Amino acid sequence: MGMFYGHNQSPVVLNIPLQLEIQTTSSNQSVTIPHLNGYIYNYTIDYGDGNIKTVSSYNDVDCNNIYTTPGTYTISILGICESIYVNGSGTLRTTIKKVLNWGNVGLKQIDFNGCSNLNNIVTDNVGGLSNVLNFGYTFYNCSSLTSIPIGLFNYSTQVSSFNSTFYGCTGLTSIPTDLFRYNTQVSTS
């Protein structure tokens, strides 16, 4: 959840979900949202198939869902979810197609490394990526990714590294001008 200030400077709490689009290809396919130990998780997840669960730890059994019918589903996470960490393995790696919304769930660590079917990411319009300090390897080997949205890192002003962030993204044809404009803490040494 984030705090933004309205026209009268009163804080407004936004509850904006992190949303991912996945595609399953077989009956009774299991998909797990992977997390890192040492981060905070206290969220409700709507798996897009009628199953809504509550997650309170990195290895909570409710991080997993079984999709009975093949198809395209939107997963919505609402609450506190400080990491999503694929790191080249797991069921989310092959099923994720799009990041529809970064939301405002307190993300601190993101890793879609090896998600070769991830073909679309959106810009961060609400500061959902503002707590991420290191984008190293975030989209590493996301070979279906064809573009990077303008403003993706605008709220990530404290980030210190973009090491290999888009390495292996062979579908990319360009990088937006000023993509890293507000990332003044990054060292080039």
Side-chain angles (χ1 to χ4, degrees):
M1 291 186 293
M3 253 202 282
F4 289 87
Y5 292 87
H7 64 83
N8 63 359
Q9 299 302 311
S10 299
V12 178
V13 177
L14 299 177
N15 294 314
I16 302 170
L18 167 66
Q19 293 181 307
L20 310 173
E21 181 180 290
I22 64 162
Q23 184 173 22
T24 60
T25 56
S26 61
S27 298
N28 299 315
Q29 187 170 349
S30 176
V31 174
T32 300
I33 305 299
H35 299 303
L36 284 173
N37 190 11
Y39 290 84
I40 297 171
Y41 308 98
N42 184 15
Y43 65 83
T44 300
I45 184 166
D46 181 339
Y47 282 101
D49 64 347
N51 288 324
I52 299 173
K53 302 177 183 181
T54 301
V55 172
S56 60
S57 68
Y58 81 101
N59 59 352
D60 196 307
V61 295
D62 288 333
C63 292
N64 183 53
N65 191 54
I66 296 175
Y67 290 89
T68 56
T69 306
T72 301
Y73 299 94
T74 298
I75 296 173
S76 295
I77 294 173
L78 188 61
I80 300 172
C81 177
E82 291 188 341
S83 84
I84 295 208
Y85 199 74
V86 175
N87 196 28
S89 64
T91 57
L92 188 62
R93 181 182 61 82
T94 57
T95 57
I96 188 168
K97 302 287 278 182
K98 298 177 182 179
V99 175
L100 301 172
N101 194 337
W102 293 108
N104 209 320
V105 297
L107 285 169
K108 291 183 177 181
Q109 180 71 42
I110 307 167
D111 184 319
F112 289 112
N113 177 351
C115 294
S116 58
N117 294 320
L118 178 61
N119 60 37
N120 189 11
I121 56 177
V122 295
T123 196
D124 177 13
N125 290 319
V126 297
L129 301 177
S130 63
N131 293 324
V132 178
L133 301 180
N134 185 342
F135 282 98
Y137 299 92
T138 300
F139 301 106
Y140 188 91
N141 284 334
C142 292
S143 55
S144 295
L145 195 58
T146 57
S147 66
I148 303 168
I150 296 170
L152 177 62
F153 303 121
N154 282 4
Y155 289 98
S156 305
T157 58
Q158 298 304 309
V159 67
S160 61
S161 176
F162 286 102
N163 183 39
S164 299
T165 300
F166 296 105
Y167 185 86
C169 294
T170 55
L172 289 176
T173 56
S174 66
I175 295 176
T177 304
D178 290 336
L179 180 64
F180 306 108
R181 179 180 183 182
Y182 300 103
N183 313 120
T184 58
Q185 302 298 314
V186 177
S187 172
T188 57
S189 57

